[in-house]
Amino acid sequence: MFDLKQLFSSDGACAAVLPGWRARSQQLAMAEAVERAIADNSVLLAEAGTGTGKTLAYLIPALLSGGKVVISTGTKALQDQLFHRDLPAARRALKSPVKVALLKGRANYVCHHHLQRNLADGRFAHRDDPVWLTRIARFAATSSSGDRAEAEGIPEDATAWQYAVSSRDTCLGSECSHFKNCFVMAARKAALDAEVVVVNHHLFFADLWLKDEGVAELLPACNTVILDEAHQLAETAAQFFGETLSTAQLLDLAGDTKRLAAVKAGDFPALRRAAEDMIKAARDLRLAFPQNPVKTTFAELSRYDKWPAALKILSAGLDEMTKLLESQAERDADLKNCFERAQTVQATLASWQRDDAPEHPRVRWLETTLSSLLLHATPLSVGAMFGARLTERAQAWILTSATLAVGGDFTHLKTRLGINECETLCVDSPFDYPRQGVLYVPQGLSAPNTPEFTESVVKAALPVLEVSHGRAFILFTSLRALDKARGLLEEAFKSRGWDYPLLVQGDAPKNELLARFQKAGNAVLLGSQSFWEGVDMPGDVLSVVIIDKLPFQPPDDPVVAARIALAEKSGGKPFMDYQLPHAAISLKQGAGRLIRSETDRGVLMICDTRLADKPYGRLLLNALPAMTRTRKLEVVERFFAAEKLGCVAAPAVIEP
């Protein structure tokens, strides 16, 4: 054991090299718990409130342990932040020489084969694709990593990237002529050689459970697994334990087959015709449903009368194309790859149509977008599969986030992830929430399930936006409510002569919207689910977070409905055991956008009176930071009036 108390003290190694360092008892408590878990090869669930410094609290003991460590984060953005900012800081503090590596999913690295093939082919969906692809080629020629995040001047969301990367389906593996120079293989080799490897949850689960080369190779050799933003694990795991097949995937396969048939098998026209039939069948399958998006379970599909015939035609067309691909597979590596992809699609489609095994309950469901159709088979529980991983070998598993427990209780997370034996730790935020923030639940709002609810939210928000001079996030639980609020706010801003920039999710990439918000200094940003977490906007630029309603999962969602039904069948209480804890954790995430530093001040406004009126509201309130609570607009007005003086009104309570 190392002297963590000295390392994390006000005159220790961290303070010596990290500007603005402050010793925090909460951070030390977490670091000591992580150290114990690593030493004992045990499981630790650690909730660390905002401002605790949880990243260094797990990095320092992990680096000191001397073993191999795999760290997984919730998103690629957090992965880059951890690798490029937090990990170097920890290494500086410890003067640690350990080898570190960053490993991302295959689609983040340029693929020489697909890049060159598509440049030569010259067929693109958008006019600017050839320009961007040429720039990508120049980047690939000089880059040592091939990581698209390092391609300066090329937009991350440029459609040309789809012509420059491979997927699990389209990678040729060792048969590729560029295998020796492959960026993906180089990144994986570096990860195998490193002592600390940073990945993200999607790669973690995709490689681990689909048995691809990557994390699945790293885990057996590592001593410690650290899963940051662990509140996302159950939902992410369900994606990868389940199966999905989309018409977009079918169209890609058929399109690749058609193009290759013309180039590599021109003397075999039957393959090209089969691919064309497949393209039509995939499009007709989407047209079997209304234009408006649909979400429905397998059991409810009988109400769509065109669906059975369309699926039958598609299945027959897929079988025919697969048979013809098999006959031509030995002519070319790309044709062989298409054949293998077709076999995988066949297996997924057959699995989706099979009845469920009682020991592995799942829900088969379908959803459509404007242009595509997706068939999903989602497990109702991932606990047995995930929990088994924790005990396969002697390793330490650290699961951490600012939002894991509900009122200090980890039962919800443990149940969903199948965790039996573990240590748990809750460390509070060091922030002075009663002085720094106000929780405001307005009175007299319409009920959340009424048509006029969004209008009443906007009406209640306007006086708050006036005294805060913008500087607000308004977070919605649905895109429909967001769109309605946009129109109402645009009209209200215009009639009042307000010049607050109104930034709306979907109008630009997320990072661009956040940059505009930061630069404007008085903007109002409307966001849905993607803005509820992973957004760090410290300082005066964000002084209000408004949440329209409690984030209960929609009970008509096929997966949620199936989980509720299973819980009821098992004699459980789905609202108290599943829906309410899930909402509490989501609400904590949204609220956590507001106070990000010890000097931040702001108002959290929740426009759902169930928080004050319903018996379960107390549990949700107790999950939130201990801000001053009020139902009176005057308290909010006094809070902002006192902003320059650095004080806040006396704590209040939510009146009945």
Side-chain angles (χ1 to χ4, degrees), residues 104-126:
K104 298 181 180 179
R106 193 191 314 272
N108 291 278
Y109 301 97
V110 175
C111 169
H112 295 297
H113 173 74
H114 288 282
L115 173 64
Q116 293 185 13
R117 191 190 73 186
N118 286 307
L119 277 172
D121 188 41
R123 287 183 245 182
F124 304 103
H126 300 90

Side-chain angles (χ1 to χ4, degrees), residues 258-479:
K258 178 181 175 181
R259 178 181 52 76
L260 289 167
V263 177
K264 309 284 187 176
D267 58 345
F268 191 67
L271 181 57
R272 180 185 176 93
R273 287 195 298 270
E276 290 172 343
D277 290 343
M278 190 65 203
I279 291 171
K280 182 178 185 305
R283 289 174 176 161
D284 286 346
L285 187 66
R286 170 61 187 91
L287 294 174
F289 294 88
Q291 183 177 1
N292 293 332
V294 168
K295 267 190 181 182
T296 186
T297 62
F298 181 87
E300 297 168 336
L301 282 171
S302 56
R303 58 182 169 170
Y304 299 100
D305 55 357
K306 295 180 182 178
W307 154 258
L311 181 63
K312 186 175 181 180
I313 292 170
L314 181 135
S315 296
L318 177 60
D319 291 344
E320 176 66 12
M321 189 176 77
T322 304
K323 183 179 73 173
L324 296 175
L325 275 167
E326 183 178 17
S327 72
Q328 304 298 306
E330 297 306 316
R331 298 178 67 158
D332 176 78
D334 283 317
L335 281 171
K336 182 180 179 183
N337 174 255
C338 281
F339 168 58
E340 292 169 349
R341 289 163 61 191
Q343 286 183 305
T344 300
V345 169
Q346 275 184 313
T348 304
L349 184 59
S351 172
W352 190 81
Q353 295 179 85
R354 276 197 299 271
D355 289 338
D356 297 338
E359 64 272 20
H360 298 297
R362 61 179 185 160
V363 56
R364 289 177 288 164
W365 57 290
L366 174 150
E367 68 173 323
T368 66
T369 64
L370 289 177
S371 61
S372 188
L373 175 147
L374 300 94
L375 307 176
H376 303 282
T378 305
L380 297 185
S381 173
V382 299
M385 291 171 277
F386 186 86
R389 286 286 176 179
L390 302 185
T391 56
E392 273 187 345
R393 57 180 65 88
Q395 289 174 310
W397 288 74
I398 317 297
L399 283 66
T400 185
S401 171
T403 54
L404 287 184
V406 181
D409 185 353
F410 289 85
T411 301
H412 178 66
L413 180 75
K414 290 166 68 175
T415 301
R416 296 200 70 192
L417 294 180
I419 298 172
N420 296 317
E421 298 296 323
C422 66
E423 180 184 352
T424 61
L425 174 74
C426 271
V427 290
D428 292 332
S429 168
F431 299 158
D432 185 358
Y433 281 113
R435 287 190 57 81
Q436 290 180 250
V438 169
L439 168 58
Y440 171 44
V441 181
Q443 301 182 72
L445 290 172
S446 301
N449 58 350
T450 58
E452 60 272 14
F453 175 69
T454 300
E455 189 173 348
S456 71
V457 168
V458 170
K459 184 177 179 181
L462 288 171
V464 177
L465 296 177
E466 183 171 20
V467 294
S468 69
H469 304 293
R471 303 186 295 160
F473 280 4
I474 308 182
L475 304 178
F476 296 88
T477 53
S478 74
L479 291 173

Side-chain angles (χ1 to χ4, degrees), residues 33 71 83 93 113 120 212 229 233 316 515 555 592 613:
I71 305 171
F83 185 79
H113 173 74
D212 199 2
E229 300 298 311
L233 290 178
D613 300 340

